[in-house]
Amino acid sequence: MRRIGNLPSETQANRFCDYLQTQSIDAKSSSSDESAPPATTDHDIWIRHEQDVEKARELFSRFQSDPTSSEYDVSAEAARMRKQRSEQIAQKIAAQKKSQMRLNRATGGRGFSGGLGGPGQTPATIPVTIAVIVLATIIGFATNFSRVPMNPDGTGEGSDWAVYNALTCVDNPTYYATGDAFASIKSGQVWRLFSPMLLHGSMMHLAFNMINLYILGGVVERIHGSWFYLFLLLACQAIATTTQIALPDWLEPPLAIGASGAVFGVFGFVWIRPKMQASYPVEIPSFNVKFMLGFLVLCFTPIIPGIANGAHVGGLIVGVIVAAVAPPRF
């Protein structure tokens, strides 16, 4: 708080503070000499918010020149505004309590520790998240993290190549023959819109995506349920895959792998949802938001080459849109 001056009586101080209230400036007065009776001593005027100090000083100077002006007969209006503000605070507290009660019911009373993730987030409550992590891990090792031998025409041998080829966005021999990365999807193999999220290029690639999916995805699945989360995950991945394929080959290669498009989509949802619904029970710390957005931007630079930026952006956009239009959960 910042002191801007004093007035010669408690009546004037209260009168001026009432006026400031009507100007949306939060202020209070206090006796300059606490040992003296309030009615016999000057009263200091304090402004709560720093951004209001300059304006308050201007109004203070004007008030001092004519403190009896009818302009300052606003005690009733100030009282109404204070009452309204108190009611709004009470409603917000009640909404938060109601949201917490619903969250406790949804999570079996475990809630969330630290806002995201935490001890209460047990595997039994997030089956879709755990299933994706387990499948991606198994497939990562089964395909030697996508390092499979391949002939010049896109064909290959062995189970590792067969699994890899079945999960990429396009059948490799078909792509090598036609140059059309949408060929397999257009022929009816729609699972290829989603399956690239189970393929990863290294253990670090897998770990980064799965840790983020566990933290962010676990939050969404526990709050909104597995069906909603599955929809969000698949929608983000489908658009991420489509965006990456649609980019010109000279800009980025279409055959991208990894769950990062879905991860960025889930991040976008958890980032934006609290801004759309004040009672939403979790919020990503600002540091985490800056880290994810910073990483997104960094991937466009030569510092981190070979990244499917189209998938990242496509997934993020879907997550943000779903966060904006989804009905309130709590």
Side-chain angles (χ1 to χ4, degrees), residues 27-309:
K28 62 175 287 187
S29 66
S30 63
S31 175
S32 300
D33 183 0
E34 295 184 357
S35 63
T40 63
T41 184
D42 290 351
H43 276 65
D44 295 326
I45 305 298
W46 298 86
I47 305 302
R48 184 175 299 276
H49 301 296
E50 188 68 25
Q51 66 267 23
D52 295 329
V53 170
E54 185 175 349
K55 181 180 178 181
R57 281 177 172 156
E58 294 176 2
L59 297 175
F60 182 72
S61 297
R62 198 172 76 190
F63 178 84
Q64 285 181 305
S65 65
D66 187 9
T68 61
S69 171
S70 60
E71 178 184 3
Y72 305 113
D73 295 335
V74 293
S75 59
E77 175 65 12
R80 185 194 66 79
M81 292 180 67
R82 290 192 181 99
K83 181 180 179 182
Q84 184 181 48
R85 183 180 178 187
S86 297
E87 290 174 349
Q88 289 173 344
I89 293 173
Q91 289 173 357
K92 184 176 181 180
I93 293 173
Q96 289 174 341
K97 289 182 178 179
K98 185 177 181 181
S99 175
Q100 186 61 47
M101 290 175 62
R102 289 177 175 174
L103 176 61
N104 288 340
R105 287 198 296 268
T107 61
R110 287 181 290 271
F112 295 103
S113 175
L116 289 174
Q121 190 170 309
T122 58
T125 61
I126 49 173
V128 173
T129 302
I130 296 302
V132 172
I133 293 173
V134 171
L135 282 173
T137 302
I138 293 173
I139 290 170
F141 284 99
T143 60
N144 193 26
F145 291 99
S146 303
R147 292 188 289 271
V148 297
M150 194 176 302
N151 300 320
D153 61 353
T155 59
E157 298 178 355
S159 60
D160 54 351
W161 178 86
V163 173
Y164 172 80
N165 189 60
L167 298 178
T168 53
C169 63
V170 63
D171 173 72
N172 281 275
T174 301
Y175 175 65
Y176 277 68
T178 65
D180 182 5
F182 279 111
S184 297
I185 295 172
K186 288 188 291 188
S187 71
Q189 299 177 15
V190 293
W191 73 83
R192 294 183 184 272
L193 286 169
F194 318 106
S195 56
M197 71 184 297
L198 300 175
L199 295 168
H200 289 83
S202 67
M203 291 187 67
M204 183 177 293
H205 187 200
L206 174 70
F208 178 84
N209 282 340
M210 294 304 104
I211 289 172
N212 278 286
L213 197 66
Y214 179 79
I215 295 172
L216 298 170
V219 168
V220 176
E221 186 169 7
R222 294 192 67 193
I223 293 176
H224 294 271
S226 296
W227 286 112
F228 176 88
Y229 173 61
L230 182 62
F231 161 76
L232 175 66
L233 201 65
L234 294 180
C236 292
Q237 182 61 43
I239 298 302
T241 301
T242 302
T243 304
Q244 190 65 34
I245 295 176
L247 291 175
D249 289 1
W250 58 266
L251 184 61
E252 287 190 1
L255 305 185
I257 58 175
S260 52
V263 168
F264 269 100
V266 176
F267 158 72
F269 181 89
V270 182
W271 171 34
I272 297 299
R273 190 61 193 171
K275 303 180 187 303
M276 308 302 298
Q277 181 185 342
S279 62
Y280 201 69
V282 296
E283 184 172 2
I284 298 182
S286 60
F287 172 81
N288 298 63
V289 173
K290 292 175 183 176
F291 173 81
M292 291 295 287
L293 295 179
F295 179 75
L296 178 69
V297 173
L298 194 63
C299 288
F300 279 91
T301 71
I303 298 175
I304 307 181
I307 300 297
N309 293 301

